[in-house]
Amino acid sequence: MDDKKLLFRIRNLKKYFPLKKRNPFQREVFNVRANENINLDIYEGETIGIVGESGCGKSTLGRTLLQLYKPTEGTVEYFGDPSTGGEPIQLQTLSVDEMRKYRRDMQLIFQDPYSSLNPRMTVGQIITEGLKAHKMLDTDPKKNQEYILSVMEQCGLAPYFVHRYPHQFSGGQRQRIGIARSVALNPKFIVADEPVSALDVSIQSQIINLLLDLKRDHGLTYMFISHDLSVIKYISDRVGVMYLGVIVELANTADLYASPIHPYTEALLSAIPTTDVDHKRELRILEGDIPSPINPPPGCKFHTRCKYATQICMEVEPEFIEHRPGHFAACHHPLKKREHALF
Ligand SMILES: Nc1ncnc2c1ncn2[C@@H]1O[C@H](COP(=O)(O)OP(=O)(O)OP(=O)(O)O)[C@@H](O)[C@H]1O
Ligand code: SF4
Ligand SMILES: [Mg+2]
């Protein structure tokens, strides 16, 4: 990664959601600790996959990184503004107005594009609206039309779709519209939050391949969020595994899948049926409930479910350190390198 250019540097990022007080006499404010001390570098041109069970804080990380949620603590430095001479922009310090300048650079693609597509607008209007909001429209309407049709073509949408409404499309095509709307803004970075989870398996690979083509053609960087380990393996250059608001392991994809260091990653990978291709690979695999993010366990947050846990795991939070080159994990008892691949 040495020759790669940093795009984001995330340090000690926290996002807590305060819970409403149950009664007016309640003194203590309880928080949902959705993200705890996230440290992550994102490099230009890579796809960083984020995987973990439901509720572990994946979407919160994507949204806090994009400043759609205000971080509770920590920093998100952005290195993608060429006008600063290499100095990072401290995104967490920007006002909503100041952030507007960078919104165009950083897009979010959702799981359910339908809810984010205005049902009363045609595809052409939907894409135009984004361009207008970012002052990207040309004074010549013909040029705008040509641009919109070229983006639609890149996203696999036929030109005659331009006058159609979202309800006239299938789920996969709607996702293409959502992607076209984002890509039209010529962003640098896209957070794709479960973009294929609601789609049939046959359509999933088409959308993933579209994202990969767009990444190649536009030099994009992705954060790809999914609970599906196969999808994450296919699309990601590096993978971060999250558990209860924390990134517990981070490595390049091949290393992580072949030889995980963290027991949670090992458990995720080993519980997956690799022979039954039709089996839905959901991440509901471990014994025991996930503890509450309102009152997470002390020490290592995974100790209540970990088969390797010892006394220190219950008392001391393990540091997130580099165990092998480029392979980070937070565990007191890191797993040894494997002879045979797990996944
Ligand atoms: N706006 C919010 N207000 C309060 N709590 C929230 C909010 N958004 C998320 N949470 C809580 O934060 C935790 C992390 O949620 P998040 O949506 O980031 O998880 P996730 O990994 O994306 O889950 P999923 O796989 O189900 O999408 C959960 O306990 C969730 O209930
Ligand atoms: S620190 Fe201990 S409890 Fe946590 S994952 Fe490692 S071995 Fe398991
Ligand atoms: Mg989510």
Side-chain angles (χ1 to χ4, degrees):
M1 283 289 164
D2 290 347
D3 53 338
K4 294 225 172 147
K5 219 172 146 267
L6 253 188
L7 190 60
F8 290 97
R9 184 160 57 198
I10 302 171
R11 289 292 176 271
N12 304 319
L13 192 69
K14 279 188 192 173
K15 180 62 195 172
Y16 289 0
F17 296 106
L19 292 176
K20 282 214 179 85
K21 289 189 178 182
R22 292 232 188 104
N23 64 63
F25 307 108
Q26 183 187 320
R27 283 224 188 136
E28 203 178 338
V29 178
F30 293 100
N31 291 299
V32 178
R33 300 177 181 202
N35 281 177
E36 277 283 20
N37 283 334
I38 304 273
N39 289 295
L40 180 65
D41 291 338
I42 301 177
Y43 295 92
E44 267 186 19
E46 76 169 337
T47 299
I48 178 107
I50 300 290
V51 71
E53 288 164 287
S54 182
C56 69
K58 304 181 293 297
S59 299
T60 303
L61 173 59
R63 285 166 182 265
T64 311
L65 160 58
L66 296 179
Q67 308 298 309
L68 295 169
Y69 293 152
K70 200 161 176 42
T72 305
E73 253 180 70
T75 54
V76 179
E77 293 177 305
Y78 176 56
F79 291 79
D81 181 350
S83 72
T84 65
E87 283 302 304
I89 304 291
Q90 303 287 333
L91 293 185
Q92 77 285 349
T93 65
L94 302 185
S95 65
V96 174
D97 261 2
E98 290 168 327
M99 188 61 208
R100 202 158 284 144
K101 181 177 168 196
Y102 299 106
R103 279 268 163 259
R104 195 184 131 186
D105 284 1
M106 305 168 199
Q107 292 295 308
L108 175 64
I109 295 172
F110 308 86
Q111 172 171 354
D112 175 14
Y114 197 53
S115 61
S116 71
L117 300 174
N118 187 332
R120 282 180 288 278
M121 283 189 178
T122 63
V123 173
Q125 288 167 337
I126 287 168
I127 300 174
T128 306
E129 200 198 17
L131 294 172
K132 199 167 149 194
H134 292 281
K135 300 190 173 59
M136 288 176 71
L137 282 179
D138 200 283
T139 46
D140 180 356
K142 242 180 98 185
K143 276 197 183 155
N144 292 325
Q145 183 77 356
E146 271 169 26
Y147 179 65
I148 289 167
L149 290 178
S150 80
V151 173
M152 285 177 61
E153 189 190 350
Q154 288 171 46
C155 295
L157 295 163
Y160 62 88
F161 287 173
V162 75
H163 299 302
R164 293 199 177 170
Y165 291 88
H167 75 264
Q168 294 175 286
F169 293 94
S170 65
Q173 285 169 326
R174 279 180 204 148
Q175 194 52 285
R176 287 178 192 273
I177 300 168
I179 293 169
R181 178 179 55 183
S182 292
V183 167
L185 302 175
N186 203 12
K188 289 191 167 74
F189 176 67
I190 294 180
V191 173
D193 190 354
E194 308 265 10
V196 297
S197 304
L199 304 175
D200 287 349
V201 175
S202 57
I203 310 291
Q204 285 190 2
S205 55
Q206 293 175 16
I207 298 294
I208 289 170
N209 288 329
L210 168 65
L211 287 170
L212 288 172
D213 289 347
L214 290 169
K215 181 185 167 211
R216 183 196 58 217
D217 297 344
H218 293 262
L220 294 166
T221 305
Y222 289 146
M223 173 179 274
F224 191 98
I225 295 171
S226 177
H227 60 273
D228 185 325
L229 281 157
S230 320
V231 168
I232 286 282
K233 186 182 186 190
Y234 183 69
I235 198 163
S236 310
D237 300 305
R238 290 191 304 150
V239 177
V241 180
M242 285 189 75
Y243 185 76
L244 219 59
V246 179
I247 295 185
V248 294
E249 183 157 11
L250 174 71
N252 84 47
T253 308
D255 283 353
L256 186 111
Y257 280 75
S259 195
I261 285 174
H262 199 282
Y264 178 60
T265 314
E266 180 192 55
L268 287 184
L269 296 177
S270 59
I272 283 175
T274 48
T275 45
D276 179 3
V277 285
D278 290 330
H279 194 285
K280 235 186 160 3
R281 292 169 173 184
E282 293 277 347
L283 295 189
R284 254 183 280 107
I285 40 80
L286 288 164
E287 298 272 317
D289 292 335
I290 307 177
S292 163
I294 299 165
N295 188 17
C300 172
K301 292 187 165 56
F302 187 52
H303 83 247
T304 56
R305 297 163 90 194
C306 181
K307 63 179 178 185
Y308 306 105
T310 61
Q311 193 62 32
I312 188 176
C313 305
M314 294 168 210
E315 293 164 2
V316 182
E317 192 174 345
E319 265 188 76
F320 188 65
I321 52 174
E322 193 169 12
H323 290 269
R324 298 179 209 142
H327 197 146
F328 298 79
C331 177
H332 293 300
H333 308 299
L335 300 172
K336 293 204 171 59
K337 208 169 165 90
R338 287 173 177 269
E339 301 282 323
H340 304 288
L342 253 182
F343 189 83

